[in-house]
Amino acid sequence: MHINELDCYEIPKIKLTQSINNSISTVIFIFSTSKILSLFQTKKLEHLTINLEKFWISSDTIHLKFKNGKPTQLLFIFVLKNAAENKNFSQFLELYAKKNQLNFIKK
């Protein structure tokens, strides 16, 4: 599955965790609307690539959460393995926030 400009589904909830020395980070995109969950029922999801202008991220780690036998959340997990990938993702989030009229605050 390929999402270009992230404009066709929803704004995901994003969770970010970092190692103590900030060298490795884990990013989890959580989608929970019926529109993206319906994709799971019609397409085989093995990989996600998200492009946003000059930035891209990709993952082959996908989890689907169920409640009462129905999918409720689709999680894409991205592992950022070095400072360059962390910087690229930070710039990706800044651009994503700007394009979607959201606030992004780096701490």
Side-chain angles (χ1 to χ4, degrees):
M1 180 173 152
H2 176 80
I3 297 178
N4 190 24
E5 297 289 330
L6 270 182
D7 59 357
C8 54
Y9 298 103
E10 72 176 280
I11 295 173
K13 183 176 187 179
I14 300 171
K15 292 185 177 183
L16 174 65
T17 58
Q18 293 182 312
S19 63
I20 293 172
N21 64 1
N22 293 330
S23 62
I24 297 176
S25 300
T26 302
V27 181
I28 303 173
F29 279 67
I30 303 169
F31 294 92
S32 57
T33 65
S34 59
K35 188 172 184 178
I36 197 159
L37 292 171
S38 68
L39 285 175
F40 174 76
Q41 296 171 349
T42 60
K43 296 183 179 183
K44 187 176 182 182
L45 299 179
E46 295 178 341
H47 184 84
L48 175 71
T49 300
I50 301 173
N51 288 338
L52 188 61
E53 292 185 4
K54 64 181 180 175
F55 301 104
W56 63 272
I57 55 175
S58 65
S59 174
D60 58 359
T61 306
I62 301 168
H63 295 278
L64 190 61
K65 291 189 176 183
F66 289 86
K67 186 174 185 179
N68 298 326
K70 295 184 180 186
T72 58
Q73 289 185 328
L74 191 56
L75 291 81
F76 294 97
I77 301 170
F78 301 90
V79 177
L80 310 174
K81 299 175 185 159
N82 55 50
E85 287 182 2
N86 279 312
K87 182 179 178 184
N88 185 47
F89 184 74
S90 180
Q91 291 172 333
F92 171 88
L93 281 184
E94 288 175 10
L95 182 60
Y96 178 79
K98 184 178 178 183
K99 283 188 157 272
N100 289 284
Q101 300 172 346
L102 303 169
N103 289 328
F104 174 68
I105 301 168
K106 283 195 273 187
K107 292 185 178 184

